[in-house]
Amino acid sequence: MGNRPDELRALLDSIAKQEGAPVEVVVVGNGSPVPDVAEFPSGVRTVELPENLGIPGGRNVGIEAFGPGGRNVDIVLFLDDDGLLAHHDTAELCRQAFAADPRLGIISFRIADPDTGVTQRRHVPRLRASDPMRSSRVTTFLGGANAVRTKVFAEVGGLPDEFFYAHEETDLAWRALDAGWMIDYRSDMVLYHPTTAPSRHAVYHRMVARNRVWLARRNLPAPLVPVYLGVWLLLTLARRPSRSALRAWFGGFREGWTTPCGPRRPMKWRTVWRLTRLGRPPVI
């Protein structure tokens, strides 16, 4: 967004220090000018968009910067501009992981606070999240700290532009899993990122609810749609949000049913079973 020039420089510096082959870098200004990056090694390219396309829209532009569907490279890393890679071997670990497992499509990094080293529970993409140091197969991934094999984009498409913010990663993850790809959470691949609350975004409650409905309408077999959304309605009420937050949430929930959500491609029932075996059936 162009308002974190110091953090962006720290991130680029951590990328330049990665071991192995150099990492090509594209910085996307999502409706804002890109801070000066001329001081960094060659290979840092910039794209300035005239308007904010949202998180998935901006990331899709970044993918296309490496050729249609990112086909000019084998792996694309997505890194938030206020994070930095904690270790110098992360890129090499990515290369090794994808080379070792031909069906591995996506890697979700561990996000840790740079001062405390703590990983928030919400940053461990599985239900059993009490031990963030345990790597495992998972059913979704973290949008601001991940690596994706570009063959995944070629096979299932990119992130859903229309989501703008929230749940776009799960939409891509479910499509990838339905196509036979796997997703790993790796605790040894670390992005330092300050501890924050997602509700800091003004549109959080509305977007979360709207996109949850879109996610179900686009991807779930028809019998699971009401079950999935009913469970999330109960969970939302159990968390006892403020009256204003709940009003925004219900507004987004209604919007999710009354607005176009993009193409519907329900996952196969065998994918439902795969998600269940991985520990997260698509009803929660």
Side-chain angles (χ1 to χ4, degrees):
M1 297 302 296
N3 56 357
R4 299 166 176 158
D6 295 338
E7 291 87 343
L8 175 62
R9 291 185 181 95
L11 171 63
L12 293 175
D13 186 56
S14 72
I15 295 171
K17 292 177 180 177
Q18 291 298 299
E19 299 167 357
V23 178
E24 294 183 56
V25 179
V26 171
V27 178
V28 177
N30 207 354
S32 65
V34 176
D36 182 22
V37 294
E39 64 199 78
F40 290 93
S42 59
V44 177
R45 291 178 283 155
T46 61
V47 179
E48 292 187 357
L49 303 177
E51 61 177 314
N52 183 357
L53 301 182
I55 294 173
R59 288 178 178 154
N60 283 336
V61 169
I63 295 169
E64 294 299 309
F66 295 105
R71 68 185 183 190
N72 295 342
V73 294
D74 296 323
I75 305 164
V76 173
L77 279 67
F78 296 98
L79 304 172
D80 276 356
D81 63 354
D82 55 347
L84 62 87
L85 294 173
H87 309 300
H88 297 168
D89 63 348
T90 303
E92 194 60 31
L93 288 174
C94 282
R95 296 185 186 102
Q96 293 171 8
F98 284 115
D101 185 352
R103 297 312 303 166
L104 178 61
I106 303 171
I107 298 173
S108 189
F109 298 176
R110 181 167 65 89
I111 294 179
D113 185 271
D115 297 322
T116 66
V118 171
T119 296
Q120 293 179 272
R121 186 180 182 89
R122 69 185 181 91
H123 284 153
V124 182
R126 59 178 179 242
L127 292 179
R128 296 179 179 178
S130 59
D131 182 8
M133 301 306 295
R134 179 173 66 88
S135 299
S136 69
R137 294 283 200 201
V138 289
T139 61
T140 188
F141 63 99
L142 306 175
N146 65 81
V148 183
R149 194 191 297 267
T150 52
K151 287 182 180 179
V152 173
F153 300 129
E155 190 167 344
V156 306
L159 294 156
D161 287 345
E162 55 268 59
F163 278 42
F164 197 84
Y165 165 78
H167 303 319
E168 66 273 3
E169 301 92 357
T170 300
D171 187 88
L172 176 60
W174 283 1
R175 285 182 282 128
L177 288 162
D178 197 47
W181 297 100
M182 300 302 292
I183 305 170
D184 279 356
Y185 166 73
R186 288 283 297 262
S187 63
D188 56 339
M189 301 181 189
V190 182
L191 183 84
Y192 281 150
H193 187 284
T195 298
T196 56
S199 55
R200 71 192 186 279
H201 299 292
V203 297
Y204 172 76
H205 296 288
R206 170 178 155 254
M207 292 288 194
V208 161
R210 184 197 68 180
N211 292 0
R212 184 79 69 184
V213 178
W214 282 359
L215 180 69
R217 289 174 58 196
R218 286 163 59 96
N219 295 287
L220 290 181
L224 294 185
V225 172
V227 179
Y228 177 80
L229 296 176
V231 167
W232 277 104
L233 172 60
L234 294 175
L235 285 173
T236 299
L237 295 174
R239 290 167 178 168
R240 303 176 68 182
S242 67
R243 182 171 297 182
S244 61
L246 196 59
R247 187 164 50 247
W249 193 94
F250 274 110
F253 192 81
R254 188 182 313 110
E255 185 182 349
W257 285 108
T258 58
T259 55
C261 63
R264 172 167 166 76
R265 299 188 181 95
M267 66 177 65
K268 307 174 190 72
W269 283 104
R270 69 186 182 198
T271 305
V272 173
W273 176 236
R274 175 185 291 178
L275 289 163
T276 303
R277 287 190 293 111
L278 288 171
R280 189 158 197 163
V283 294
I284 188 169

